[in-house]
Amino acid sequence: YQRPQTDRYNYPEAYLRARIVGMLGGRAAEEVVYGTKTTGAENDIEQATNLARSMVTRWGMSDALGLVQLAARQNPFLGNSYGGAQSFSEETARIIDAEVLRIINESHEQAKQLLREHRKQLDALVEALLERETLDEREILEVTGLPPAPALETRRLSTARP
C-alpha cells in the first residue's frame, strides 16, 4: 500500500530504493509463493528500471560514478531528452548498466526477503482480497496486524548559511 504524495520534490535515496522494492513486490511474490515468474510484472520492472537509471544517471546516487549527471533532462510533455546524443563513453555506459542492475537486484532480493519474513501477513491479505476485492489502508492494517506506516518526512532543508 502506497500513500499518495503531494507537493514533494526532493526524495532521499532510501525512499527511492523503497519505491523500487515496492515496485518489484509483485514479481517477488510470484517467486516466493508460486516459485515461478510471469509476464505480469512487465510494467513494474520498466518503472523500477527507469527509477534506478535516473538515480544513477541524473541524481548522483551511485558511488561508482559519483556526482555527475549522465542523462539529459526529460521533457515532461514530449518525453524526449533535451541533450540529444549520448555524451559518455562505452565504459561509462557499462558502469551505468552495472549500477542499475545492482540496485534492481538488491531491491528484488529485499522484496523477497520481506515477503518471506511476513508470509503470514501476505497470506492473510490474499484471503481478504479474495473475499472483498479491495481494501483501504485501515482494512489492510487490520487484516495483516501490521503497524501503520511511519509519517512521511515533511521538514524542509535549512537555508541558513554557515
Side-chain angles (χ1 to χ4, degrees):
Y1 179 77
Q2 295 184 20
R3 297 185 212 176
Q5 298 283 313
T6 57
D7 298 328
R8 186 147 183 177
Y9 302 100
N10 292 309
Y11 299 99
E13 183 177 0
Y15 171 83
L16 297 173
R17 284 179 174 266
R19 291 286 309 215
I20 294 172
V21 170
M23 289 172 188
L24 299 176
R27 168 55 66 87
E30 290 176 341
E31 294 176 69
V32 168
V33 174
Y34 300 114
T36 191
K37 302 170 190 166
T38 72
T39 60
E42 177 181 11
N43 186 262
D44 297 331
I45 293 169
E46 178 183 8
Q47 288 182 29
T49 302
N50 289 339
L51 182 52
R53 188 166 298 281
S54 289
M55 290 170 66
V56 171
T57 63
R58 296 180 59 209
W59 303 322
M61 295 181 179
S62 163
D63 291 338
L65 292 164
L67 297 175
V68 178
Q69 185 174 11
L70 297 164
R73 186 179 299 263
Q74 297 290 310
N75 182 321
F77 302 105
L78 302 176
N80 57 0
S81 299
Y82 298 141
Q86 178 175 304
S87 61
F88 46 83
S89 70
E90 287 300 317
E91 177 59 25
T92 299
R94 280 191 283 282
I95 295 169
I96 290 169
D97 289 343
E99 286 292 281
V100 170
L101 185 60
R102 180 183 60 76
I103 291 169
I104 295 295
N105 286 341
E106 288 173 0
S107 299
H108 181 232
E109 287 304 314
Q110 186 178 359
K112 289 192 298 187
Q113 183 59 38
L114 285 168
L115 290 170
R116 285 186 202 108
E117 288 173 13
H118 297 282
R119 178 62 191 265
K120 186 172 119 181
Q121 291 90 347
L122 174 64
D123 291 341
L125 183 59
V126 168
E127 286 298 319
L129 286 168
L130 287 171
E131 289 174 15
R132 295 180 251 177
E133 200 169 318
T134 60
L135 302 170
D136 62 23
E137 182 179 11
R138 181 192 57 75
E139 292 168 319
I140 291 169
L141 297 176
E142 183 181 296
V143 165
T144 63
L146 294 171
L152 297 172
E153 182 67 40
T154 57
R155 66 187 163 110
R156 294 185 183 269
L157 297 175
S158 173
T159 55
R161 297 188 187 261

